[in-house]
């Protein structure tokens, strides 16, 4: 279980397989094992690629600061580029799911030279948390000692999911309270690398993914029939589409 120091934050990662590097970034309140291991991604990709999966700060075995200023897509994205530097990887493929896809968008805008292709899963321009009242309710739900006091249905659902794994709820609350500035459509329009967007057709956790696909030149959108936000990652078709996309993407 390797770790590295990312500007004072201890980050856990896994490093499996050989070949061209692909970096995997998981979703909110998840982990490397939950998002990528148990769903078969690491096994499938490591047959051809060097698969590096990172426990995002605040999650898994990585450090879990309780200050909102420790989070935000820029800070979480910097952990990825620092990890690549730590491992001596100049350029890689990048894949993120849900929150991890938002981190991937941050990286493809801020460091396009580091990635030859990007896969965005479970993402839309409206990620479902634009409403500050919802974010505040979720943050409060993570901080309360008595779950029975939570009134918001959205906050209750987030608390239940977070508690389904060994999460640090105060760290997740800090992440929710961190910077969530929307991505600039004008900057998305400058993207020139191959981008694949994959979303379950029944994913009600996010908005419509079509506007995001239109904002990114040449982006391909694939909808997984009958899958939602939680079931899409394990869908075999998801893996088939990604492997096909990576084979076809220019090097």
């Amino acid at each position: 279980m390797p770790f590295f120091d990312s500007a004072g934050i201890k980050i856990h990662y896994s490093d499996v397989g050989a070949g061209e590097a692909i970096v995997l970034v998981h979703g909110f309140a998840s982990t490397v094992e939950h998002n990528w291991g148990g769903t078969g991604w690491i096994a499938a990709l490591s047959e051809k690629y060097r698969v590096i999966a990172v426990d995002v700060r605040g999650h898994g075995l990585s450090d879990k600061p309780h200050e909102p200023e420790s989070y935000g897509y820029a800070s979480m994205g910097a952990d990825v580029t620092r990890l690549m530097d730590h491992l001596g990887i100049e350029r890689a493929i990048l894949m993120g799911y849900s929150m991890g896809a938002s981190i991937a968008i941050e990286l493809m805008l801020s460091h396009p030279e580091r990635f030859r292709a990007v896969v965005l899963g479970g993402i839309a321009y409206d990620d479902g948390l634009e409403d500050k009242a919802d974010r505040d309710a979720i943050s409060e739900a993570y901080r309360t000692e008595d779950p029975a006091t939570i009134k918001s249905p959205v906050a209750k659902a987030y608390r239940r999911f977070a508690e389904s794994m060994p999460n640090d709820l105060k760290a997740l609350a800090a992440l929710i309270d961190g910077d969530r500035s929307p991505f600039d459509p004008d900057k998305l329009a400058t993207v020139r690398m191959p981008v694949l967007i994959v979303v379950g057709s029944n994913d009600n956790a996010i908005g419509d993914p079509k506007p995001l696909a239109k904002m990114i030149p040449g982006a391909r959108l694939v909808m997984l029939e009958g899958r939602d936000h939680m079931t899409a990652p394990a869908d075999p078709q998801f893996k088939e589409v990604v492997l096909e996309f990576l084979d076809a993407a220019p090097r």
Side-chain angles (χ1 to χ4, degrees):
M1 289 189 288
F3 295 84
F4 86 106
D5 183 284
S6 180
I9 302 291
K10 186 175 71 172
I11 298 293
H12 167 257
Y13 65 97
S14 69
D15 187 350
V16 180
E20 183 180 12
I22 178 167
V23 181
L24 306 181
V25 188
H26 64 72
F28 180 75
S30 188
T31 64
V32 165
E33 177 55 32
H34 181 263
N35 208 146
W36 308 117
T39 54
W41 277 102
I42 292 175
L45 291 171
S46 62
E47 292 182 7
K48 186 172 182 178
Y49 298 96
R50 179 184 180 184
V51 183
I52 298 154
V54 58
D55 270 338
V56 176
R57 58 172 66 195
H59 298 74
L61 299 177
S62 294
D63 279 351
K64 302 172 181 64
H66 289 179
E67 302 78 31
E69 57 270 23
S70 295
Y71 296 95
Y73 297 141
S75 294
M76 293 186 285
D79 293 334
V80 172
T81 52
R82 290 188 192 115
L83 174 57
M84 291 171 63
D85 292 342
H86 173 74
L87 296 174
I89 297 169
E90 184 175 340
R91 196 163 178 253
I93 300 162
L94 179 62
M95 179 172 176
Y97 191 79
S98 193
M99 177 191 71
S102 294
I103 296 170
I105 292 174
E106 162 67 30
L107 285 166
M108 77 181 189
L109 294 179
S110 61
H111 296 282
E113 74 286 356
R114 303 297 300 266
F115 305 102
R116 83 160 174 95
V118 176
V119 179
L120 307 173
I123 189 68
Y125 190 73
D126 172 0
D127 69 359
L129 283 179
E130 272 64 40
D131 190 321
K132 188 175 185 303
D134 279 345
R135 295 200 304 273
D136 289 346
I138 294 166
S139 176
E140 181 59 31
Y142 285 149
R143 289 190 168 94
T144 185
E145 299 298 326
D146 182 6
T149 63
I150 303 171
K151 294 181 171 57
S152 162
V154 172
K156 283 181 181 179
Y158 268 77
R159 171 90 181 218
R160 281 195 301 270
F161 177 66
E163 288 185 324
S164 69
M165 286 175 283
N167 279 303
D168 181 326
L169 297 184
K170 289 183 173 58
L172 296 184
L175 194 159
I176 287 284
D177 289 340
D179 177 51
R180 294 185 60 83
S181 301
F183 294 109
D184 184 345
D186 290 338
K187 290 184 178 179
L188 290 172
T190 68
V191 172
R192 294 295 178 265
M193 70 187 70
V195 175
L196 172 68
I197 302 171
V198 185
V199 177
S201 65
N202 295 342
D203 192 335
N204 297 320
I206 58 173
D208 182 355
K210 295 183 185 68
L212 177 63
K214 290 179 180 178
M215 291 176 193
I216 302 172
R220 178 187 174 195
L221 173 62
V222 175
M223 304 296 290
L224 301 175
E225 190 61 38
R227 297 300 186 181
D228 60 23
H229 202 68
M230 298 302 174
T231 59
D235 189 333
Q237 186 190 353
F238 196 166
K239 297 178 184 67
E240 292 169 8
V241 168
V242 168
L243 289 168
E244 177 187 297
F245 166 75
L246 296 180
D247 281 343
R251 293 183 178 273

